[in-house]
Amino acid sequence: MNTVKQLLKHKNFMFKLGLVICIGWIVIAIFAPLLTPYHPINDQNIVGRFQPPSAEHWFGTDSLGRDVFSRVLYGSRISMSAGLITVLISFGVGILFGGIAGYVGGVVDDVMMRFSEMVQSFPPLILAMVIAAALGPNISNSILAMAIIWWPNYARLTRSIVISVKENDYVTASRILGASHLRILYREILPNSIGPMAVMATLDLGNAILMFSGLSFLGLGVQPPVPEWGAMVSDGVLTFNYWWISTFPGLAIFSVAIGANFIGDGLRDYLDPRMRKRA
Amino acid sequence: MSNEVLLQAQDVRQYFTVKKERGQKATLYAVDGVTLSIYKGETFGLVGESGCGKSTLGKTFLRLYPLTGGKIVFDGKDISRLRGKELKEFRCKSQMIFQDPSSCLNPRRKIEVILSEPFIIHGLYNTKEERRRRILELCDMVGLSSAYLERYPHEMSGGQKQRVGIARALALNPQLIICDEPVSALDVSIQAQVINLLEDLQKQLNLTYLFISHNLSVVKHCCQRIGVMYLGKIVELASAERLYQNAMHPYTQALISAIPVIDDGSERPIPQQIVLSGDLPSPTSPPVGCAFHTRCPHAMERCGKERPTLQEVEPGHFVSCFLYEQIP
Ligand SMILES: Nc1ncnc2c1ncn2[C@@H]1O[C@H](COP(=O)(O)OP(=O)(O)OP(=O)(O)O)[C@@H](O)[C@H]1O
Ligand SMILES: [Mg+2]
């Protein structure tokens, strides 16, 4: 609890801005039905299509006459949750995998790391395409595909952190006191490794959303007419004269990516003892 | 110091497998055939260059590694193959104090939490008040104000952190404490305080110390017996007095001659400094024969072929060198 309080007191403007942006998008995602003037799918109006931004349609309308503003707000539901779920799954799997490899070491480490290198050696987009194509293009399959590509990064980072943390004398001291391996892992090693991992995860959120949008852009993520930022950008690209169709979802992606990066940077500063001032 | 042996090591060997470049594996002979006894209540000094295996020997005695070979008997009980519950019981009897106060305490925990760990792990003092009382008692013993209990390690000085480390080592009432260069990272002014504290605690609690250092003058001051280690082996072992008056092994002689002498105006001759040539050989490929022969000023032909063994040349004084070989 203390940590959270201190984090909020953090005098870093960018960090707060990032927090506002990301929490803002989560709130929007939750309350989208209350905030949107139109239904994102059903309110079509062929006559009123390709309208530029106006008081009635803040972000204009798309090729089917749907309100882009409403679709961008609704799109946050899928984009934010796809990004968050991908990062969370990778984070969990990566910590478990990398933590065990780094802590146990030896042959176990060799085998586990060779395996993760193997996964990582596939070109990510191609692997995602293969998985999405094999299992069928839908949201959960693309999230699964992304998690499969994503976790080795976390595993490798966790492993290297755990290897350096376990060299500390307080870990040896804990062993000499008779603590079990499990206790050492979660009392001594995890609390001292989680910081850089959390930084990586926040920095990654933007990337994950971008990648998911990329998959949708290629037609592998969500299927029309579901609103998703990447798919909306790709819609607009075909009708380039009507710039608003892809610009606004593009800006939405950009804002989350930037916001998450601000949070990650702030977190990193906070966790670096040299940058940290205590009250 | 009594005549009762607390810890007896017989031909203790601790090898590690290390990776060399291009993924090749090599054996690192960190501790290679150490035989010694530590008596109850004494301070046994262990000296030697960096990398000669002092810390490894200490940690081997604490059963931190699976023993490669040999036998360790602690308080009459063979502990070399202990596992599980028995090993955990042994953990209460021997503890360690570390060199680097900045890495010996978990930076994310308050001192009180750090000092509660031993009791939680072993299920002692189950109520909060009892535990608190014991922690305050420990603070008192090591001269730490109870105000520090609410602090994080980075809010304390090196000397204070070292006191916390000592308190943690005492928490389970151990008999043996491995002091691995406990003062070498501290300010000179604080070094003396910590050494005095260790000596007081030893008297109060009847502790036995294995005192590791690469600094012979510190060891001379506080140890009764001293073992000199070179490349994983004990090359000379004697009482502190005898070792300084009558160092026999050429390596010990070199170490002692390197202690800076203060010219106090007395007539004492200033000893000639013996400078060793060359570096410590790699512990992955120790020299054949006597480990020291590559740097020994008295090396003979024989030294490069045969390995000398530790022999008692006068009562309680052991040397591993062909110069003192008694013809049977
Ligand atoms: N866990 C380990 N795995 C592999 N090699 C190790 C391990 N621990 C120690 N070594 C090696 O064993 C040798 C002896 O190391 P040790 O730390 O015991 O030396 P030391 O005498 O304590 O030196 P110092 O005075 O620098 O502390 C070194 O070459 C070291 O690299
Ligand atoms: Mg050492």
Side-chain angles (χ1 to χ4, degrees), chain A residues 4-202:
Chain A
V4 175
K5 255 191 235 155
Q6 268 162 13
L7 208 52
L8 290 178
K9 267 194 254 155
H10 200 46
K11 287 205 184 62
N12 187 336
F13 172 71
M14 299 304 241
F15 174 75
K16 282 185 183 156
L17 184 65
L19 217 55
V20 168
I21 294 174
C22 289
I23 292 178
W25 274 118
I26 292 173
V27 170
I28 289 173
I30 294 169
F31 296 107
L34 304 177
L35 301 170
T36 48
Y38 299 91
H39 191 275
I41 298 169
N42 297 341
D43 283 340
Q44 301 186 5
N45 176 7
I46 298 294
V47 184
R49 65 188 201 158
F50 297 135
Q51 285 179 36
S54 63
E56 206 177 333
H57 297 286
W58 291 356
F59 292 176
T61 61
D62 68 2
S63 58
L64 295 174
R66 294 172 300 198
D67 181 44
V68 175
F69 177 71
S70 305
R71 282 177 66 79
V72 167
L73 295 201
Y74 263 97
S76 66
R77 293 188 147 185
I78 289 175
S79 293
M80 290 298 287
S81 48
L84 281 171
I85 293 172
T86 306
V87 168
L88 283 179
I89 295 178
S90 317
F91 191 75
V93 174
I95 278 200
L96 208 66
F97 199 90
I100 292 173
Y103 185 72
V104 177
V107 183
V108 176
D109 180 27
D110 283 348
V111 172
M112 289 176 94
M113 280 302 119
R114 282 310 90 74
F115 177 72
S116 81
E117 272 163 24
M118 201 180 75
V119 174
Q120 230 179 1
S121 67
F122 290 109
L125 211 56
I126 307 248
L127 185 63
M129 284 166 71
V130 168
I131 294 169
L135 301 176
N138 63 39
I139 301 173
S140 44
N141 284 345
S142 1
I143 291 178
L144 182 71
M146 298 220 315
I148 289 175
I149 298 161
W150 228 268
W151 70 266
N153 292 325
Y154 288 85
R156 301 185 67 74
L157 181 70
T158 311
R159 173 182 173 273
S160 63
I161 295 171
V162 166
I163 286 178
S164 75
V165 169
K166 84 170 175 184
E167 289 307 312
N168 279 302
D169 286 339
Y170 55 79
V171 176
T172 312
S174 188
R175 283 191 62 201
I176 296 175
L177 288 173
S180 63
H181 291 301
L182 214 59
R183 186 175 182 88
I184 293 172
L185 271 171
Y186 92 91
R187 295 276 304 175
E188 314 289 332
I189 293 183
L190 196 61
N192 288 291
S193 321
I194 199 91
M197 307 285 309
V199 172
M200 176 162 171
T202 43

Side-chain angles (χ1 to χ4, degrees), chain B residues 309-328:
Chain B
T309 52
L310 210 55
Q311 307 236 331
E312 190 160 14
V313 288
E314 58 181 32
H317 192 156
F318 299 82
V319 185
S320 162
C321 179
F322 289 128
L323 291 174
Y324 306 95
E325 186 109 293
Q326 278 144 358
I327 297 112

Side-chain angles (χ1 to χ4, degrees), chain B residues 50-51 53-56 59 96 99 180-181 212 214:
Chain B
S50 182
K54 304 181 295 292
S55 301
T56 307
K59 289 179 182 172
M96 182 157 178
Q99 168 173 11
D180 191 354
E181 314 206 20
I212 298 173
H214 54 245

Side-chain angles (χ1 to χ4, degrees), chain B residues 18-194:
Chain B
V18 290
K19 275 198 191 122
K20 290 181 129 184
E21 68 276 26
R22 278 181 280 121
Q24 285 171 329
K25 291 198 171 152
T27 305
L28 190 151
Y29 302 87
V31 173
D32 199 8
V34 167
T35 299
L36 56 81
S37 302
I38 299 176
Y39 293 97
K40 278 189 185 158
E42 80 168 327
T43 302
F44 186 98
L46 196 60
V47 295
E49 269 167 289
S50 182
C52 69
K54 304 181 295 292
S55 301
T56 307
L57 184 62
K59 289 179 182 172
T60 304
F61 288 163
L62 292 173
R63 283 300 321 280
L64 278 178
Y65 309 116
L67 201 63
T68 310
K71 193 169 150 185
I72 304 169
V73 178
F74 184 91
D75 211 9
K77 190 176 171 197
D78 185 352
I79 59 153
S80 4
R81 303 279 177 279
L82 288 188
R83 306 190 72 222
K85 230 183 122 196
E86 285 182 309
L87 184 59
K88 196 170 169 183
E89 269 165 36
F90 166 69
R91 296 268 179 242
C92 298
K93 296 180 190 156
S94 60
Q95 285 295 318
M96 182 157 178
I97 299 169
F98 299 89
Q99 168 173 11
D100 182 3
S102 66
S103 111
C104 81
L105 307 176
N106 187 338
R108 307 229 153 251
R109 306 231 178 270
K110 285 186 181 162
I111 302 305
E112 173 150 20
V113 179
I114 291 175
L115 290 179
S116 309
E117 275 295 292
F119 309 128
I120 297 170
I121 292 168
H122 288 273
L124 303 168
Y125 306 109
N126 283 321
T127 67
K128 256 201 149 149
E129 296 79 58
E130 272 182 284
R131 200 183 295 152
R132 172 101 192 166
R133 206 175 314 135
R134 173 69 177 144
I135 289 173
L136 289 176
E137 192 180 290
L138 287 170
C139 287
D140 200 39
M141 277 199 260
V142 301
L144 194 75
S145 150
S146 62
Y148 291 116
L149 289 177
E150 284 303 307
R151 295 214 186 167
Y152 286 94
H154 70 91
E155 297 166 327
M156 300 171 70
S157 74
Q160 289 159 346
K161 281 189 263 193
Q162 200 60 317
R163 284 172 198 267
V164 176
I166 296 172
R168 174 177 59 192
L170 294 175
L172 298 170
N173 283 321
Q175 293 171 273
L176 174 70
I177 297 185
I178 312 279
C179 308
D180 191 354
E181 314 206 20
V183 296
S184 42
L186 303 177
D187 275 3
V188 180
S189 57
I190 298 169
Q191 284 189 359
Q193 287 176 18
V194 171

